[in-house]
Amino acid sequence: MARRRTPPRPESSSGAGAARERKSFELRGVPASPGVAIGRAFLLDSEEISIPKQAVPAAAIPQEIARFEEALAQTRKEIEGIQSKISKELGLEHAEIFNAHLMFLEDRVFIEEVIGHLKEQQVNVEHVFSEVLSKYVLAFSKVEDEYMRDRASDVEDVGRRILRNLTGLKRRSLADLSQPVVVVAYDLSPSDTATMHRQHVIGFITDIGGRTSHTAIMAKSLEIPAVVGLEGATQRIYPDDQLIVDGASGKVIVNPDADALKHYEGLKRKLETLDRELLQVKDLPAETPDGVRVHLLANIEFPEEIPSVIAHGAEGIGLYRTEFFYLNRSDLPTEEEQFEAYRHVAKAMAPHPVIIRTIDLGGDKFMSELKVPREMNPFLGWRAIRFCLARPDIFKVQLRAILRASVFGKFRMMYPMISGLEELVAANKILEEMKEELRREGKQFDPEMEVGAMIEVPSAALILDLLAKHVKFFSIGTNDLIQYSLAVDRVNEKIAYLYEPAHPAILRLIRQIIQVAHENNLWVGMCGEMAGEPALALLLLGMGLDSFSMSPANVPKIKQVIRSVPTFKAKEVVKEAFRLSTGREVESYARARLCELIPELCES
Ligand code: PEP
Ligand code: MG
């Protein structure tokens, strides 16, 4: 996601900020990446660059053009440098975000327009460039297509780079930081995030963004505590304010008093010690004291997360979100490209299982190449399996790549957002066609690869017995199941208080899913965020869930829950929880029991 401009402050931050009393206050946002960060605020500037207008004699125009071409070349070099850095540190997929920037630098229409105006107006190139740039940004921001609208920020981002190179002005860069800071920004662009150094950026907070924004995803993979969706943070926080970022709860304390500081310093130390201690059990099995073995797996978006999966002791991958392969690029990934990536994942994890999910495009994740019309309710719209069945050309390419990669490890495959039987049958039919095609071509695949369905739509949960005949397993996607069951948009921070995983309706649905799956001799896992919450995992254990999948950093905590609580105890907790009437009651009860059973997990 590209950076948008910070709105002006109510008062100037220079001078007034220094004189003002540093008041203590709290902000609440959307938890994006767990952990505690304590440090000084570093506000990313709004980057207003002032451009003077100067007349240029006709004879000097070629010189202006040369300056322009040089600034373009310099910008290209900078972007390629960032790209190669990200590619090395985070992988090719992240680096491809910058292809759009590079394409803009080569846009001859744009370049010719600048040169044309330059010759006509005979003024300095900075001025002409910034005028043409504004026109383009405005045009992009008015386009209906959401992806194209987002390109306005890309154009603005790259345009600013060119302007800085033209004017020789340097921007405060995250790469130049020498002290550990907490970054405060309206939003963060990929270049901002990419230049973050974990040693210096100890945490970050942004005014906008949801839990599934690119910024949040990056924060988790970098393991930097972060809170997003903190409306007005950049307006209320001043440079050098002291900040406490509690990435697990979404709380940010500005200029904390001595007590808060002491509390969070203690908590930070405890969390660090706990993380170290928890890692000691990383190679032990996920088995309860009374001998019930469950599977503890991790979720990934990019193959580069595999070292973290292994380091945290997961026994495989329970959800590989392959749609990230399709985002931030202007073309569709080929079969070969996907095959290479999937093969790498299969091999790197072997002999552990990898549950690869077929693309879940749509909702909040779309690529412009697909020219999808804007929808009123994208989460209820043309998404996931619905999209794949409507675009078998795209679906088939992915299925072939998955099948071919399946011989290099232990792959299982699942479809997202199944809402009815026909969808599942139709998807399986296409899969069989692809197997037949590969057989004809003499290409290898694992004929035993198990196929499952994600249960994330209430209608699927209620017809599980009918779906059961067509799959080998189920995986509960609570991120969506909760939003669809409780009618709460999962990325809308205004109604986040209604998003309750412990709501009695959700617990009843989950209990029913597990029961019916088991009656049909199928195993059932969960790959929604709920599985990575210790107090809720206690309930899931008591309900008989077979497999838990979560972001890698949560794995040790959940292993601790499993290894500490005998199943009969977890069942007792479930029994009591089902007597309660609200999500809040259930959550606080489960938490209290967790704290009683495993006090060391209850420090925050
Ligand atoms: C879910 O919905 O719980 C899930 C795991 O899928 P995603 O978060 O990718 O929608
Ligand atoms: Mg989902």
Side-chain angles (χ1 to χ4, degrees), residues 319 321 323 357 360 365 383 454 456 477-480 490 527-528:
L319 168 64
R321 290 183 164 102
E323 62 276 6
R357 174 173 78 182
D360 185 4
K365 296 175 279 196
R383 189 189 161 190
M454 282 194 76
E456 42 187 0
T478 44
N479 303 342
D480 280 315
R490 66 191 258 194
C527 57

Side-chain angles (χ1 to χ4, degrees), residues 186-210:
Y186 180 68
D187 190 9
L188 286 168
S189 76
S191 33
D192 290 326
T193 320
T195 48
M196 270 185 189
H197 199 293
R198 222 188 302 187
Q199 250 179 347
H200 297 141
V201 180
I202 55 169
F204 70 77
I205 61 180
T206 59
D207 283 0
I208 65 161

Side-chain angles (χ1 to χ4, degrees), residues 82-84 86-87 90-99:
I82 297 174
Q83 228 181 3
S84 105
I86 305 177
S87 181
L90 291 171
L92 202 59
E93 288 90 343
H94 284 293
E96 275 166 356
I97 293 163
F98 293 94
N99 286 346

Side-chain angles (χ1 to χ4, degrees), residues 211-212 299 301 319 321 323-324 357 360 364-365 379 383 414 416 454-456 475-484 490 499 526-530 549:
R211 213 163 44 82
T212 53
N299 297 345
E301 285 77 37
L319 168 64
R321 290 183 164 102
E323 62 276 6
F324 279 84
R357 174 173 78 182
D360 185 4
D364 57 345
K365 296 175 279 196
F379 277 114
R383 189 189 161 190
M414 64 184 179
M454 282 194 76
I455 302 301
E456 42 187 0
S475 182
I476 310 173
T478 44
N479 303 342
D480 280 315
L481 188 65
I482 296 167
Q483 87 161 340
Y484 295 136
R490 66 191 258 194
Y499 191 93
M526 180 179 289
C527 57
E529 294 297 305
M530 185 176 177
S549 193

Side-chain angles (χ1 to χ4, degrees), residues 31-34 211 216-217 219-223 296-301 305-306 308-319 321 479 526-534 548-559:
S33 179
R211 213 163 44 82
I217 290 159
K220 271 191 196 147
S221 36
L222 293 167
E223 291 182 46
L296 199 44
L297 311 167
N299 297 345
I300 63 163
E301 285 77 37
E305 290 166 78
I306 289 175
S308 170
V309 170
I310 293 167
H312 287 98
E315 301 164 308
I317 290 171
L319 168 64
R321 290 183 164 102
N479 303 342
M526 180 179 289
C527 57
E529 294 297 305
M530 185 176 177
E533 296 287 332
F548 297 63
S549 193
M550 62 214 65
S551 53
N554 286 345
V555 168
K557 270 188 217 152
I558 303 302
K559 188 176 276 186

